[in-house]
Amino acid sequence: MSQSLLHRADREQPVDVTAMRATDREADAGDTFDATRHTRAMHLWLLWLGGAVVFAVGQAFTDPKGPVGGLMSFSMPVLFTVGILGGVLVNRPRPRWPWLMLASAGLVTVIGYVVWTSGATTLAFSIFMTVYPLEAIALLLIVRGGSWRQDRAGLLDTAMISVGLGLACWMLVITPLLQVSTDLPGGPLVALFPLGDVLLLSVLVRFFISRGLRNAAFWQISVSLLFQAVTHMASLLPTIFSAGATDVRALSSLSSFLIAAAAFHPSMRTFSGHEPRLATEMSPRRVLLVNLAGMAAPGLLIAQGVLQHGKVGWLAAGVGCILLFALVTLRMIDLVGEVQDKARQLDAVAHIDALTALPNRRAWDLELDRRIAAAQRHGTPVVVAILDLDHFKRFNDEHGHQGGDELLTTAAAAWRAQLRPEDLLARYGGEEFGAIFDHSRLADADRIIERLQAVTPLGQTFSAGAAQWNGTETAEMLLARADAALYSAKRAGRDRVYVSPTR
């Protein structure tokens, strides 16, 4: 529905929604994703998946060190980039630039391969490392839009789980790899590659912590991230355990093909940039993940001690504990803040009149008891007045309920502006308002009420009854005297103020 129509100057008039829909269809005619294009995208998606299976099977039967195997490995990032660009051209997502950013990860990988073949191994692996953050940022922008910055609770929970994953990776994978780094191509830098996999897994955790649109494209990206982490870890673990190398090229290629397949699938249009609903409640799954992250440091110390014959990475575990404690503290502060916000909202609902934004009857009763108690302690005078708009029912009948509501809101605002900071004006009920004048006697209250009469809006008047606390009576007795004075004013013809003599 067109926002320009919703915000037009004559928005007071009823809006023809049918006309608005027709206008929107005409405006979007140049970018309509019709059934023909949807069918074409589905055919391309199926063709792409079929090609991915053929490529992966062929790769499984080729020698990785041979010319064909090398050419297939080099062509994979190129196909990754071409596939995403093709999906963007076919489906035309909005916005497009996160997808283009994701496609650039393939080009960066190609550059890394070129540098690798030139002999600059360390520089090549440095280039390869940049692919991880580039891919992670692009995917967050595609799947979560800008909402990832708004969900503080989700970010903290993701950070806690990521610290746990990172600690496990460091103690059980990276530390052993650093001990045999001389056997790795690229030296110690290769041992840090699992941190990139932790980053991708953190993106995957972020996807599932908040609620969003989970369609075919989303699941393809999620499975791809999982495949990437598994294949990278599987290629490094044989080095740790001195086992034979496992050829995981086919699975690695499938992970790249799956992300490009997500770009080809028509569902990518509906979730690209889609703003998810923030999942602020702590679901059982979320509680379990956060608790597992919190137990990561002591659990990993035990596991490392068993696997490495008593040798433990106390420094990594200590840093991990500090980070987790800091994140848990921030999460608790965030939860306490949410509880306080809810409490303030409930308090406002319970004590504020929704129409006039004045304190309601409940707030009036509490405040009157408090002020009478304070007057009793300090020996100060206090006056209570009840104001009743004259002939409100007739005004309501003539001007409708909206007119009556306008009278109540404008009168409340005008009267409140004339009161002193220590005075209280509340909506007592219906067209009746209550006022408490602290440190005042009847003469003081009368002068204030006279000012209120002068600013009563829309040419209306009110009747008022006032009573000064006698030093011993209860709030109910004081209100009864003010109420009796009000009815005397109304019986006398309205538009006047009656006061109850102090007994």
Side-chain angles (χ1 to χ4, degrees):
M1 191 174 294
S2 173
Q3 293 300 313
S4 61
L5 285 174
L6 287 175
H7 295 89
R8 62 188 184 181
D10 59 335
R11 59 184 180 274
E12 294 86 357
Q13 300 299 321
V15 176
D16 185 352
V17 177
T18 305
M20 295 176 69
R21 292 172 182 165
T23 303
D24 285 346
R25 283 195 294 268
E26 292 173 5
D28 295 337
D31 196 37
T32 302
F33 195 73
D34 55 23
T36 303
R37 187 179 296 173
H38 182 277
T39 303
R40 186 195 316 156
M42 286 297 297
H43 287 163
L44 288 173
W45 175 69
L46 291 172
L47 183 63
W48 182 264
L49 285 182
V53 172
V54 172
F55 187 96
V57 171
Q59 201 170 30
F61 289 97
T62 58
D63 182 5
K65 296 182 180 179
V68 176
L71 180 62
M72 294 183 78
S73 296
F74 182 82
S75 64
M76 188 59 250
V78 177
L79 292 173
F80 172 86
T81 299
V82 170
I84 294 177
L85 292 177
V88 170
L89 288 174
V90 171
N91 291 308
R92 301 179 186 177
R94 293 181 180 178
R96 300 180 187 181
W97 66 269
W99 286 99
L100 299 178
M101 182 179 180
L102 181 62
S104 69
L107 296 179
V108 173
T109 305
V110 171
I111 294 172
Y113 276 133
V114 172
V115 174
W116 167 271
T117 56
S118 68
T121 308
T122 303
L123 178 59
F125 276 99
S126 299
I127 295 173
F128 289 144
M129 284 292 290
T130 62
V131 173
Y132 290 104
L134 183 63
E135 185 177 348
I137 294 172
L139 289 173
L140 283 173
L141 292 172
I142 289 171
V143 178
R144 291 287 160 244
S147 67
W148 61 273
R149 295 169 294 184
Q150 304 165 7
D151 184 11
R152 176 184 169 89
L155 286 175
L156 288 173
D157 289 346
T158 302
M160 282 187 276
I161 297 169
S162 300
V163 168
L165 289 173
L167 191 57
C169 181
W170 183 271
M171 297 180 70
L172 300 181
V173 180
I174 295 177
T175 299
L177 283 175
L178 288 173
Q179 295 171 357
V180 294
S181 60
T182 54
D183 300 330
L184 296 173
L189 190 61
V190 179
L192 300 179
F193 262 63
L195 290 179
D197 298 313
V198 170
L199 178 61
L200 294 181
L201 289 175
S202 299
V203 172
L204 189 60
V205 169
R206 183 72 189 95
F207 285 177
F208 284 92
I209 275 184
S210 60
R211 296 171 179 168
L213 186 60
R214 297 177 182 177
N215 54 21
F218 173 87
W219 287 111
Q220 289 172 86
I221 290 176
S222 299
V223 172
S224 171
L225 291 179
L226 191 59
F227 277 8
Q228 285 188 60
V230 170
T231 55
H232 294 167
M233 289 293 182
S235 64
L236 293 173
L237 288 179
T239 305
I240 299 175
F241 297 104
S242 301
T246 304
D247 187 5
V248 293
R249 291 175 303 142
L251 192 58
S252 177
S253 295
L254 277 178
S255 69
S256 298
F257 272 112
L258 274 175
I259 288 188
F264 272 115
H265 199 276
S267 63
M268 64 93 83
R269 282 176 55 90
T270 57
F271 94 124
S272 185
H274 180 81
E275 294 292 339
R277 293 171 291 134
L278 306 184
T280 55
E281 74 278 2
M282 291 293 286
S283 64
R285 179 180 60 186
R286 192 163 172 174
V287 171
L288 176 63
L289 288 173
V290 172
N291 275 278
L292 289 175
M295 294 185 288
L300 289 168
L301 279 175
I302 296 173
Q304 192 179 43
V306 171
L307 294 174
Q308 300 184 12
H309 311 291
K311 296 181 180 179
V312 295
W314 57 269
L315 180 60
V319 172
C321 285
I322 292 172
L323 288 174
L324 284 171
F325 181 79
L327 291 169
V328 169
T329 301
L330 289 174
R331 187 68 172 98
M332 290 180 65
I333 293 173
D334 193 63
L335 286 172
V336 170
E338 288 181 14
V339 172
Q340 290 175 338
D341 288 341
K342 296 294 184 184
R344 282 192 288 267
Q345 292 172 13
L346 289 174
D347 184 68
V349 170
H351 296 93
I352 298 296
D353 176 62
L355 178 62
T356 62
L358 293 176
N360 59 15
R361 176 66 181 271
R362 178 181 297 183
W364 160 272
D365 291 338
L366 293 173
E367 190 65 17
L368 181 58
D369 288 336
R370 189 188 70 80
R371 297 202 183 197
I372 287 179
Q376 192 168 23
R377 286 195 306 271
H378 303 294
T380 54
V382 60
V383 173
V384 166
I386 301 178
L387 287 60
D388 187 288
L389 286 165
D390 295 329
H391 305 295
F392 180 75
K393 185 179 183 304
R394 186 172 65 192
F395 184 92
N396 220 23
D397 292 339
E398 293 176 356
H399 298 85
H401 290 294
Q402 290 184 341
D405 289 348
E406 182 183 1
L407 174 58
L408 292 173
T409 54
T410 54
W415 293 343
R416 185 166 47 187
Q418 298 297 318
L419 298 180
R420 302 168 301 177
E422 64 269 25
D423 297 332
L424 173 72
L425 180 66
R427 189 177 180 190
Y428 195 71
E431 68 272 23
E432 289 187 342
F433 294 80
I436 303 175
F437 305 111
D438 258 343
H439 307 286
S440 300
R441 301 187 182 277
L442 286 174
D444 304 317
D446 181 53
R447 284 192 291 271
I448 297 173
I449 295 173
E450 187 177 9
R451 294 204 302 269
L452 303 187
Q453 287 178 311
V455 298
T456 302
L458 304 178
Q460 301 304 300
T461 61
F462 69 83
S463 303
Q468 181 178 331
W469 182 59
N470 66 6
T472 59
E473 62 188 336
T474 63
E476 289 77 11
M477 295 168 63
L478 177 60
L479 273 175
R481 290 199 295 118
D483 200 45
L486 169 65
Y487 278 97
S488 296
K490 295 172 73 172
R491 284 194 299 269
R494 293 184 170 85
D495 190 19
R496 62 199 66 212
V497 180
Y498 270 51
V499 297
S500 175
T502 304
R503 300 170 185 173

